[in-house]
Amino acid sequence: MNQKRLHEIGAGLIVPVLILAIWQAACVSWEINPQKLPSPLAVARKWVEYLLPLQPHVDGSWLRWAFSGEMILDSISSLYRVVLGFLIGACLALPLGLAMGASKGAYTLFNTVTQLLRPVPPIAYIPLAMLWFGLGNAPALFLIVLGAFFPVLLNTIAGVRQVDVIYLRAARNLGAGGATLFRRVILPAAVPYILSGVRIGIGTSFIVVIVAEMMAVNNGLGFRINEAKEYFWTDKIMAGMITIGMLGLAIDVGMNRLNNYLLRWHRGLEH
């Protein structure tokens, strides 16, 4: 890690550290009710407790015991739903977006229903999802699919439709047919937009899964936060929120690095 990167990380930590210092000082100085606002140290203790296994290690696999903490199991459950729901939503949206972007007929056929459904937030489908699928993974996956579908769809359409007409004319003059034109010109030009939609879609999926788990699932980070609310465990609520933030940051950083790698040709980068 070079010095510039270390400097960027250090600069990015200034505001969070300052917020934590002010928060801790306020809790100590004003004696705030910990059920309303626990101190950062109390939240950190609860976060570690949430991370560690609930039972002491007796026998069996040490590795399985080490990863048996509530936070790890909840995070795995939430990430499983996010990944599966996002993949389903993206696989449905991508071919439809390519077709709507490349074909005026397909765009005319599907655009009206797309614009009717797009403004409805996935959370609004929760009652229907529970009526149709009951409780468990099925309604949560349905909501995540909806959350991922429209960002990928709209960005794919925009990417295909924004291809410069000069490139299309040049390819046709060089003898490129419809399939070759789509594969060698339109699709590569649309990739930056598609990847932007993927990044937005997976972020939306992560938001939706937390809400879905609060309503229809009996495990996961959203469920655990809702459970903590019932018992007034404010420190555990905040520990869960911090875990969500850390996972979201990790996903976004990973997607950003993947985008930079896949688009290095687009940005003139070799490494």
Side-chain angles (χ1 to χ4, degrees):
M1 188 177 295
N2 57 36
Q3 187 174 358
K4 180 181 178 181
R5 183 59 181 160
L6 288 173
H7 182 268
E8 290 176 353
I9 294 174
L13 290 175
I14 292 175
V15 174
V17 170
L18 184 61
I19 291 173
L20 289 174
I22 295 172
W23 177 7
Q24 180 68 33
C27 290
V28 172
S29 302
W30 299 339
E31 297 182 354
I32 299 174
N33 184 345
Q35 280 197 333
K36 293 184 177 180
L37 183 65
S39 70
L41 292 178
V43 174
R45 284 194 296 268
K46 180 57 69 173
W47 189 88
V48 173
E49 180 183 323
Y50 187 22
L51 174 67
L52 296 177
L54 296 176
Q55 303 295 331
H57 181 248
V58 179
D59 53 12
S61 170
W62 183 91
L63 187 63
R64 178 176 294 181
W65 170 80
F67 285 89
S68 65
E70 274 189 341
M71 181 194 298
I72 296 175
L73 297 178
D74 289 337
S75 298
I76 291 172
S77 298
S78 296
L79 288 173
Y80 165 77
R81 296 183 183 105
V82 167
V83 172
L84 182 58
F86 170 78
L87 289 176
I88 295 172
C91 288
L92 293 173
L94 190 58
L96 180 60
L98 292 173
M100 290 177 67
S103 168
K104 290 183 179 180
Y107 184 84
T108 301
L109 187 63
F110 291 103
N111 183 58
T112 300
V113 67
T114 298
Q115 298 306 324
L116 281 173
L117 296 176
R118 179 181 61 85
V120 182
I123 297 169
Y125 288 92
I126 287 177
L128 285 177
M130 295 177 70
L131 285 172
W132 290 345
F133 303 106
L135 301 177
N137 281 330
L141 289 173
F142 172 73
L143 296 172
I144 296 165
V145 168
L146 288 175
F149 179 82
F150 287 104
V152 176
L153 175 69
L154 296 177
N155 277 270
T156 302
I157 295 171
V160 174
R161 292 171 70 89
Q162 63 79 41
V163 178
D164 197 322
V165 69
I166 294 176
Y167 298 146
L168 300 178
R169 290 174 180 171
R172 289 192 184 101
N173 289 337
L174 292 172
T180 302
L181 187 69
F182 181 81
R183 189 178 70 255
R184 301 296 295 273
V185 179
I186 295 176
L187 188 57
V191 166
Y193 286 79
I194 295 172
L195 291 178
S196 294
V198 166
R199 187 176 180 183
I200 296 169
I202 201 166
T204 305
S205 299
F206 202 78
I207 295 171
V208 172
V209 74
I210 300 304
V211 179
E213 288 173 348
M214 289 182 174
M215 302 294 179
V217 187
N218 61 359
N219 56 29
L221 293 169
F223 167 80
R224 203 64 62 188
I225 289 174
N226 197 50
E227 179 189 56
K229 179 202 71 174
E230 300 296 329
Y231 294 96
F232 298 98
W233 295 337
T234 313
D235 51 357
K236 191 169 185 178
I237 292 173
M238 301 188 79
M241 292 169 63
I242 290 170
T243 304
I244 293 168
M246 293 170 65
L247 289 175
L249 177 62
I251 290 172
D252 189 69
V253 169
M255 288 301 304
N256 188 45
R257 291 189 175 183
L258 178 63
N259 286 1
N260 289 337
Y261 175 77
L262 295 176
L263 297 178
R264 62 195 187 280
W265 59 270
H266 179 73
R267 297 170 180 170
L269 300 175
E270 296 182 358
H271 301 287

